[in-house]
Coordinates of all heavy atoms in Angstrom, one line a residue:
R1 N -1.7 43.3 37.6 CA -2.3 44.6 37.7 C -1.5 45.7 37.2 O -2.1 46.6 36.5 CB -2.5 44.9 39.2 CG -3.6 44.1 39.9 CD -3.9 44.6 41.3 NE -4.7 43.6 42.0 CZ -5.3 44.0 43.1 NH1 -5.1 45.1 43.6 NH2 -6.1 43.1 43.6
S2 N -0.2 45.8 37.4 CA 0.6 46.8 36.9 C 0.6 46.8 35.4 O 0.8 47.9 34.8 CB 2.0 46.7 37.5 OG 2.6 45.5 37.0
Q3 N 0.5 45.7 34.7 CA 0.5 45.6 33.3 C -0.8 46.3 32.8 O -0.8 47.0 31.7 CB 0.6 44.2 32.8 CG 1.9 43.6 33.0 CD 2.0 42.1 32.6 OE1 0.9 41.5 32.2 NE2 3.1 41.5 32.6
K4 N -1.9 46.0 33.5 CA -3.2 46.7 33.0 C -3.1 48.2 33.2 O -3.5 49.0 32.4 CB -4.3 46.2 33.8 CG -4.7 44.7 33.5 CD -5.8 44.3 34.3 CE -6.2 42.8 34.0 NZ -7.4 42.4 34.7
K5 N -2.5 48.7 34.3 CA -2.3 50.1 34.5 C -1.4 50.7 33.5 O -1.7 51.8 32.9 CB -1.8 50.4 35.9 CG -2.8 50.1 37.0 CD -2.2 50.4 38.3 CE -3.2 50.1 39.4 NZ -2.6 50.3 40.8
L6 N -0.3 50.0 33.1 CA 0.7 50.5 32.1 C 0.0 50.5 30.8 O 0.2 51.5 30.0 CB 1.9 49.6 32.1 CG 3.0 50.0 31.2 CD1 3.5 51.4 31.5 CD2 4.1 49.0 31.2
G7 N -0.8 49.6 30.5 CA -1.6 49.5 29.2 C -2.5 50.7 29.1 O -2.7 51.3 28.0
A8 N -3.2 51.0 30.2 CA -4.1 52.1 30.2 C -3.5 53.4 30.0 O -4.0 54.3 29.4 CB -5.0 52.1 31.5
I9 N -2.2 53.6 30.6 CA -1.5 54.8 30.5 C -1.0 55.0 29.1 O -1.0 56.1 28.5 CB -0.3 54.8 31.5 CG1 -0.8 54.9 32.9 CG2 0.7 55.9 31.2 CD1 0.2 54.7 33.9
M10 N -0.5 53.9 28.4 CA 0.0 53.9 27.1 C -1.0 54.0 26.0 O -0.6 54.1 24.8 CB 0.9 52.7 26.9 CG 2.1 52.5 27.8 SD 3.3 53.9 27.6 CE 4.0 53.6 26.1
Q11 N -2.3 53.9 26.3 CA -3.3 53.9 25.4 C -3.5 55.3 24.7 O -3.4 56.3 25.4 CB -4.7 53.5 26.0 CG -5.8 53.3 25.2 CD -7.0 52.8 25.9 OE1 -7.0 52.6 27.1 NE2 -8.1 52.6 25.2
K12 N -3.8 55.3 23.4 CA -4.0 56.5 22.7 C -5.4 57.1 23.1 O -6.3 56.3 23.4 CB -3.9 56.3 21.2 CG -2.6 55.9 20.8 CD -2.6 55.6 19.2 CE -1.2 55.0 18.8 NZ -1.3 54.6 17.4
P13 N -5.6 58.4 23.1 CA -6.9 59.0 23.4 C -7.9 58.5 22.3 O -7.6 58.5 21.1 CB -6.6 60.5 23.3 CG -5.2 60.6 23.4 CD -4.5 59.4 22.9
G14 N -9.0 58.1 22.8 CA -10.1 57.7 21.9 C -9.9 56.2 21.3 O -10.7 55.8 20.5
Q15 N -8.9 55.5 21.8 CA -8.7 54.2 21.3 C -9.5 53.2 22.0 O -9.8 53.4 23.2 CB -7.2 53.8 21.5 CG -6.9 52.4 21.0 CD -5.4 52.1 21.2 OE1 -4.7 52.8 21.8 NE2 -5.0 51.0 20.7
D16 N -10.1 52.2 21.3 CA -11.0 51.2 21.9 C -10.1 50.3 22.8 O -9.1 49.8 22.3 CB -11.6 50.4 20.8 CG -12.8 49.5 21.3 OD1 -13.2 49.7 22.5 OD2 -13.3 48.7 20.5
P17 N -10.5 50.1 24.0 CA -9.7 49.3 25.0 C -9.6 47.8 24.6 O -8.7 47.2 24.9 CB -10.3 49.5 26.3 CG -11.7 49.9 26.0 CD -11.6 50.6 24.8
V18 N -10.6 47.3 23.8 CA -10.6 46.0 23.3 C -10.1 46.0 21.9 O -10.6 46.7 21.0 CB -12.0 45.4 23.4 CG1 -12.1 43.9 22.9 CG2 -12.6 45.4 24.8
A19 N -9.1 45.1 21.6 CA -8.5 45.0 20.3 C -9.5 44.4 19.3 O -10.1 43.4 19.6 CB -7.2 44.2 20.3
K20 N -9.6 45.0 18.1 CA -10.5 44.5 17.1 C -9.7 43.4 16.3 O -8.5 43.5 16.1 CB -10.9 45.6 16.1 CG -11.6 46.7 16.8 CD -13.0 46.3 17.0 CE -13.8 47.5 17.5 NZ -15.0 47.1 18.3
D21 N -10.5 42.4 15.9 CA -9.9 41.4 15.1 C -10.1 41.8 13.6 O -11.2 42.0 13.1 CB -10.7 40.0 15.3 CG -10.0 38.8 14.7 OD1 -8.8 39.0 14.3 OD2 -10.6 37.8 14.7
D22 N -9.0 41.8 12.9 CA -9.0 42.4 11.5 C -9.2 41.3 10.4 O -9.2 41.5 9.3 CB -7.6 43.0 11.2 CG -7.5 44.3 12.0 OD1 -8.5 44.8 12.5 OD2 -6.3 44.7 12.2
V23 N -9.4 40.0 10.8 CA -9.7 38.9 9.9 C -11.1 38.9 9.5 O -12.0 38.9 10.4 CB -9.2 37.6 10.5 CG1 -9.4 36.4 9.5 CG2 -7.8 37.7 10.9
P24 N -11.5 38.9 8.3 CA -12.9 38.8 7.9 C -13.5 37.5 8.3 O -12.9 36.5 8.4 CB -12.8 38.8 6.3 CG -11.5 39.3 5.9 CD -10.6 39.0 7.1
W25 N -14.9 37.5 8.6 CA -15.6 36.4 9.1 C -15.5 35.2 8.1 O -15.4 34.1 8.5 CB -17.0 36.7 9.4 CG -17.8 37.1 8.2 CD1 -18.0 38.3 7.6 CD2 -18.5 36.2 7.3 NE1 -18.8 38.3 6.5 CE2 -19.2 36.9 6.3 CE3 -18.8 34.8 7.4 CZ2 -20.0 36.3 5.3 CZ3 -19.6 34.3 6.4 CH2 -20.1 35.0 5.4
W26 N -15.6 35.5 6.8 CA -15.6 34.4 5.9 C -14.3 33.7 5.8 O -14.2 32.5 5.5 CB -16.0 34.9 4.5 CG -15.1 35.9 3.9 CD1 -15.2 37.3 4.0 CD2 -13.9 35.7 3.1 NE1 -14.2 37.9 3.4 CE2 -13.4 37.0 2.8 CE3 -13.2 34.5 2.7 CZ2 -12.2 37.1 2.1 CZ3 -12.1 34.7 1.9 CH2 -11.6 36.0 1.6
M27 N -13.1 34.4 6.1 CA -11.9 33.7 6.1 C -11.6 32.8 7.3 O -11.1 31.8 7.1 CB -10.8 34.8 6.0 CG -9.4 34.3 5.6 SD -8.1 35.6 5.5 CE -8.7 36.4 4.1
K28 N -12.2 33.2 8.4 CA -12.1 32.3 9.5 C -12.9 31.0 9.3 O -12.3 29.9 9.5 CB -12.8 33.0 10.8 CG -12.1 34.1 11.3 CD -12.8 34.7 12.5 CE -12.3 36.0 12.9 NZ -13.0 36.6 14.1
Y29 N -14.1 31.1 8.7 CA -14.9 29.9 8.5 C -14.3 29.1 7.3 O -14.4 27.8 7.3 CB -16.3 30.2 8.3 CG -17.1 30.7 9.5 CD1 -17.5 31.9 9.6 CD2 -17.2 29.8 10.6 CE1 -18.1 32.4 10.8 CE2 -17.8 30.2 11.7 CZ -18.3 31.5 11.8 OH -18.9 31.9 13.0
A30 N -13.7 29.8 6.3 CA -13.1 29.1 5.2 C -11.9 28.2 5.7 O -11.8 27.0 5.3 CB -12.6 30.0 4.2
G31 N -11.1 28.8 6.6 CA -10.0 28.0 7.2 C -10.4 26.8 8.0 O -9.8 25.7 7.9
R32 N -11.5 27.0 8.8 CA -12.0 25.9 9.6 C -12.7 24.9 8.7 O -12.5 23.7 8.9 CB -13.0 26.5 10.6 CG -12.3 27.4 11.7 CD -13.3 27.9 12.6 NE -12.7 28.8 13.5 CZ -13.3 29.9 14.1 NH1 -14.5 30.1 13.9 NH2 -12.6 30.6 15.0
G33 N -13.3 25.3 7.7 CA -13.9 24.3 6.8 C -12.9 23.5 6.1 O -13.1 22.3 5.8
L34 N -11.9 24.2 5.6 CA -10.8 23.5 4.9 C -10.1 22.5 5.8 O -9.8 21.4 5.4 CB -9.8 24.5 4.4 CG -8.7 24.0 3.5 CD1 -9.2 23.5 2.2 CD2 -7.7 25.1 3.2
G35 N -9.9 22.8 7.1 CA -9.4 21.9 8.1 C -10.3 20.6 8.2 O -9.8 19.5 8.4
T36 N -11.6 20.9 8.3 CA -12.5 19.8 8.4 C -12.6 18.9 7.2 O -12.5 17.7 7.3 CB -13.9 20.3 8.7 OG1 -13.9 21.2 9.8 CG2 -14.9 19.2 8.9
V37 N -12.5 19.5 6.0 CA -12.6 18.7 4.7 C -11.3 18.0 4.6 O -11.3 16.7 4.3 CB -12.8 19.6 3.6 CG1 -12.6 18.9 2.3 CG2 -14.2 20.1 3.6
G38 N -10.2 18.6 5.0 CA -8.9 17.9 5.0 C -8.8 16.7 5.9 O -8.2 15.7 5.6
S39 N -9.4 16.8 7.1 CA -9.4 15.7 8.0 C -10.3 14.6 7.5 O -10.0 13.4 7.7 CB -9.9 16.2 9.4 OG -11.1 16.6 9.4
L40 N -11.4 14.9 6.9 CA -12.2 13.8 6.3 C -11.5 13.1 5.2 O -11.5 11.9 5.0 CB -13.5 14.4 5.7 CG -14.5 14.9 6.8 CD1 -15.7 15.6 6.1 CD2 -15.0 13.8 7.6
I41 N -10.7 13.8 4.4 CA -9.9 13.2 3.4 C -8.8 12.3 4.0 O -8.6 11.2 3.6 CB -9.3 14.2 2.4 CG1 -10.4 14.9 1.7 CG2 -8.2 13.6 1.5 CD1 -9.9 16.1 0.8
A42 N -8.2 12.8 5.1 CA -7.2 11.9 5.8 C -7.8 10.7 6.3 O -7.1 9.6 6.2 CB -6.6 12.8 6.9
I43 N -9.0 10.8 6.9 CA -9.6 9.5 7.4 C -9.9 8.6 6.2 O -9.7 7.3 6.3 CB -11.0 9.9 8.1 CG1 -10.5 10.6 9.4 CG2 -11.7 8.7 8.4 CD1 -11.7 11.1 10.2
G44 N -10.4 9.1 5.1 CA -10.7 8.3 3.9 C -9.5 7.6 3.4 O -9.4 6.4 3.1
L45 N -8.3 8.4 3.2 CA -7.1 7.8 2.8 C -6.5 6.8 3.8 O -5.8 5.9 3.4 CB -6.1 8.9 2.4 CG -6.6 9.7 1.1 CD1 -5.6 10.9 0.9 CD2 -6.7 8.9 -0.1
G46 N -6.6 7.1 5.1 CA -6.2 6.2 6.1 C -6.9 4.9 6.0 O -6.3 3.7 6.1
L47 N -8.2 4.9 5.7 CA -9.0 3.7 5.5 C -8.5 2.9 4.3 O -8.4 1.7 4.3 CB -10.5 4.0 5.4 CG -11.4 2.9 5.3 CD1 -11.4 2.1 6.6 CD2 -12.9 3.4 5.1
W48 N -8.2 3.7 3.2 CA -7.7 3.1 1.9 C -6.3 2.4 2.3 O -6.0 1.3 1.7 CB -7.6 4.1 0.9 CG -7.1 3.6 -0.4 CD1 -5.8 3.7 -0.9 CD2 -7.8 2.8 -1.4 NE1 -5.7 3.1 -2.1 CE2 -7.0 2.5 -2.4 CE3 -9.1 2.4 -1.4 CZ2 -7.3 1.8 -3.5 CZ3 -9.6 1.7 -2.5 CH2 -8.7 1.3 -3.6
N49 N -5.5 3.0 3.1 CA -4.2 2.5 3.4 C -4.4 1.2 4.2 O -3.5 0.3 4.2 CB -3.4 3.5 4.2 CG -1.9 3.2 4.2 OD1 -1.5 2.5 3.4 ND2 -1.2 3.8 5.1
C50 N -5.4 1.1 5.0 CA -5.7 -0.1 5.8 C -6.0 -1.3 4.9 O -5.9 -2.5 5.4 CB -6.8 0.1 6.8 SG -6.3 1.1 8.2
V51 N -6.3 -1.1 3.7 CA -6.6 -2.2 2.8 C -5.3 -3.0 2.5 O -5.3 -4.2 2.1 CB -7.2 -1.7 1.4 CG1 -7.4 -2.8 0.3 CG2 -8.5 -1.0 1.7
G52 N -4.2 -2.4 2.8 CA -2.9 -3.1 2.7 C -2.8 -4.4 3.5 O -1.9 -5.2 3.2
I53 N -3.7 -4.6 4.4 CA -3.6 -5.8 5.2 C -4.0 -7.0 4.4 O -3.7 -8.1 4.8 CB -4.6 -5.6 6.5 CG1 -4.3 -6.8 7.5 CG2 -6.0 -5.7 6.1 CD1 -2.9 -6.6 8.2
V54 N -4.7 -6.8 3.3 CA -5.1 -7.8 2.4 C -3.8 -8.5 1.8 O -3.7 -9.7 1.6 CB -5.9 -7.3 1.2 CG1 -6.2 -8.4 0.2 CG2 -7.3 -6.8 1.8
L55 N -2.7 -7.6 1.6 CA -1.5 -8.1 1.1 C -0.6 -8.5 2.2 O 0.6 -8.7 2.0 CB -0.8 -6.9 0.3 CG -1.6 -6.4 -0.9 CD1 -0.9 -5.2 -1.5 CD2 -1.8 -7.4 -1.9
A56 N -1.1 -8.7 3.4 CA -0.4 -9.1 4.6 C 0.8 -8.1 4.9 O 1.8 -8.6 5.5 CB 0.2 -10.5 4.4
D57 N 0.5 -6.9 4.8 CA 1.5 -5.8 5.2 C 1.0 -5.1 6.4 O 0.1 -4.3 6.3 CB 1.7 -4.9 4.0 CG 2.8 -3.9 4.2 OD1 3.6 -4.0 5.2 OD2 3.0 -3.0 3.4
V58 N 1.5 -5.5 7.6 CA 1.0 -5.0 8.9 C 1.4 -3.5 9.0 O 0.7 -2.8 9.6 CB 1.6 -5.8 10.0 CG1 1.3 -5.2 11.3 CG2 1.2 -7.2 9.9
E59 N 2.5 -3.0 8.3 CA 2.9 -1.7 8.4 C 1.8 -0.8 7.8 O 1.6 0.4 8.3 CB 4.3 -1.4 7.9 CG 5.4 -2.1 8.6 CD 6.7 -2.0 7.9 OE1 6.8 -1.4 6.8 OE2 7.7 -2.4 8.5
C60 N 1.2 -1.2 6.8 CA 0.2 -0.4 6.1 C -1.0 -0.3 7.0 O -1.6 0.8 7.1 CB -0.3 -1.0 4.8 SG 0.9 -0.7 3.4
L61 N -1.3 -1.3 7.7 CA -2.5 -1.2 8.6 C -2.2 -0.3 9.8 O -3.0 0.5 10.1 CB -2.8 -2.7 9.2 CG -3.9 -2.7 10.3 CD1 -5.2 -2.4 9.6 CD2 -4.0 -4.0 10.9
I62 N -1.0 -0.3 10.3 CA -0.7 0.5 11.4 C -0.6 2.0 11.0 O -1.1 2.9 11.7 CB 0.7 0.1 12.1 CG1 0.5 -1.3 12.8 CG2 1.2 1.0 13.1 CD1 1.8 -1.9 13.2
S63 N 0.0 2.3 9.8 CA 0.1 3.6 9.4 C -1.3 4.1 9.1 O -1.6 5.4 9.3 CB 1.0 3.8 8.2 OG 0.6 3.0 7.1
G64 N -2.2 3.4 8.5 CA -3.5 3.7 8.1 C -4.3 4.1 9.4 O -5.1 5.1 9.4
M65 N -4.1 3.3 10.4 CA -4.8 3.6 11.7 C -4.3 4.9 12.3 O -5.1 5.7 12.8 CB -4.7 2.4 12.7 CG -5.4 1.2 12.2 SD -5.1 -0.3 13.1 CE -4.9 0.1 14.8
W66 N -3.0 5.2 12.2 CA -2.4 6.4 12.8 C -3.0 7.6 12.0 O -3.3 8.6 12.6 CB -0.9 6.4 12.7 CG -0.3 5.8 13.9 CD1 0.4 4.7 13.9 CD2 -0.3 6.3 15.2 NE1 0.8 4.3 15.2 CE2 0.5 5.3 16.0 CE3 -0.8 7.4 15.8 CZ2 0.7 5.5 17.4 CZ3 -0.6 7.5 17.2 CH2 0.1 6.6 18.0
Q67 N -3.1 7.4 10.6 CA -3.7 8.5 9.8 C -5.1 8.8 10.2 O -5.6 9.9 10.2 CB -3.5 8.2 8.3 CG -3.8 9.4 7.5 CD -3.4 9.1 6.1 OE1 -2.7 8.1 5.8 NE2 -3.8 10.1 5.2
M68 N -5.8 7.7 10.3 CA -7.3 7.9 10.7 C -7.4 8.6 12.1 O -8.3 9.4 12.2 CB -8.0 6.5 10.7 CG -8.2 6.1 9.2 SD -8.9 4.5 9.0 CE -9.7 4.0 10.4
L69 N -6.6 8.2 13.0 CA -6.6 8.8 14.4 C -6.3 10.3 14.2 O -6.9 11.2 14.9 CB -5.8 8.1 15.3 CG -6.2 6.8 15.9 CD1 -5.0 6.1 16.7 CD2 -7.4 7.0 16.7
A70 N -5.3 10.6 13.4 CA -4.9 12.1 13.3 C -6.1 12.9 12.6 O -6.4 14.0 13.0 CB -3.7 12.2 12.4
G71 N -6.7 12.3 11.6 CA -7.9 12.9 11.0 C -9.0 13.1 12.0 O -9.7 14.1 12.0
A72 N -9.3 12.1 12.8 CA -10.3 12.2 13.8 C -10.0 13.3 14.8 O -10.8 14.1 15.2 CB -10.5 10.9 14.5
F73 N -8.7 13.4 15.2 CA -8.3 14.4 16.1 C -8.5 15.8 15.5 O -9.0 16.7 16.2 CB -6.8 14.3 16.5 CG -6.3 15.2 17.5 CD1 -6.7 15.3 18.8 CD2 -5.4 16.3 17.0 CE1 -6.2 16.3 19.7 CE2 -4.9 17.2 17.8 CZ -5.3 17.2 19.2
V74 N -8.3 16.0 14.3 CA -8.4 17.3 13.6 C -9.9 17.6 13.5 O -10.4 18.8 13.8 CB -7.8 17.4 12.3 CG1 -8.1 18.6 11.5 CG2 -6.2 17.3 12.4
I75 N -10.8 16.6 13.3 CA -12.2 16.9 13.3 C -12.7 17.3 14.6 O -13.5 18.2 14.7 CB -12.9 15.6 12.7 CG1 -12.9 15.5 11.2 CG2 -14.4 15.6 13.2 CD1 -13.7 14.5 10.6
V76 N -12.2 16.7 15.7 CA -12.6 17.0 17.0 C -12.3 18.5 17.4 O -13.1 19.2 17.9 CB -12.0 16.1 18.1 CG1 -12.2 16.6 19.5 CG2 -12.7 14.7 17.9
I77 N -11.1 19.0 16.8 CA -10.7 20.3 17.0 C -11.4 21.3 16.2 O -11.9 22.3 16.6 CB -9.2 20.4 16.8 CG1 -8.4 19.5 17.7 CG2 -8.8 21.9 16.9 CD1 -8.4 19.9 19.1
E78 N -11.7 20.9 14.8 CA -12.2 21.9 13.9 C -13.7 22.0 13.8 O -14.3 23.0 13.7 CB -11.6 21.6 12.5 CG -10.1 21.8 12.4 CD -9.7 23.3 12.3 OE1 -10.6 24.2 12.1 OE2 -8.5 23.6 12.5
A79 N -14.3 20.8 13.7 CA -15.8 20.7 13.4 C -16.6 21.5 14.5 O -17.6 22.1 14.0 CB -16.2 19.3 13.3
P80 N -16.4 21.4 15.8 CA -17.2 22.2 16.7 C -17.2 23.7 16.5 O -18.1 24.4 16.7 CB -16.7 21.9 18.1 CG -16.0 20.5 17.9 CD -15.5 20.5 16.5
C81 N -16.1 24.2 15.9 CA -16.0 25.6 15.6 C -16.9 26.1 14.4 O -17.1 27.2 14.3 CB -14.5 25.9 15.2 SG -13.4 25.6 16.5
L82 N -17.4 25.1 13.7 CA -18.2 25.5 12.5 C -19.7 25.8 13.0 O -20.5 26.3 12.3 CB -18.3 24.4 11.5 CG -16.9 24.2 10.8 CD1 -17.0 23.1 9.8 CD2 -16.5 25.5 10.0
L83 N -20.0 25.3 14.2 CA -21.4 25.5 14.6 C -21.7 26.9 15.1 O -20.9 27.6 15.6 CB -21.7 24.5 15.7 CG -21.6 23.0 15.3 CD1 -21.9 22.1 16.5 CD2 -22.6 22.7 14.2

């Protein structure tokens, strides 16, 4: 409570009590879109990395699965923001 009162006292006359966001709308969506596209690329490359199991390299399979999980996690975070 005291912080709100102090903020009200320190406020300039005629100043909007709610801070404005200075980032343009297109820049917000461009960043989110870039994150979504990047995560789709990460999932695709993780799938390509999993092809290493053909060469009997288990480490490639494990690292590919980790990369696909990371890409899926980023999509879960970023994609709903685009709607």
Side-chain angles (χ1 to χ4, degrees):
R1 286 187 191 196
S2 62
Q3 290 177 350
K4 289 181 182 179
K5 290 181 181 179
L6 182 62
I9 292 172
M10 298 298 288
Q11 187 177 1
K12 296 177 185 175
Q15 183 181 5
D16 194 8
V18 178
K20 299 282 187 204
D21 192 11
D22 293 336
V23 180
W25 66 269
W26 60 268
M27 194 176 290
K28 291 180 190 177
Y29 289 115
R32 292 173 182 158
L34 188 62
T36 303
V37 170
S39 62
L40 289 172
I41 292 171
I43 289 173
L45 292 176
L47 186 63
W48 181 257
N49 199 18
C50 286
V51 174
I53 195 66
V54 173
L55 303 173
D57 191 5
V58 177
E59 290 177 358
C60 282
L61 177 67
I62 294 171
S63 63
M65 289 171 38
W66 275 111
Q67 186 169 355
M68 289 175 18
L69 284 173
F73 179 71
V74 172
I75 280 188
V76 167
I77 300 293
E78 294 285 343
C81 298
L82 292 176
L83 300 177

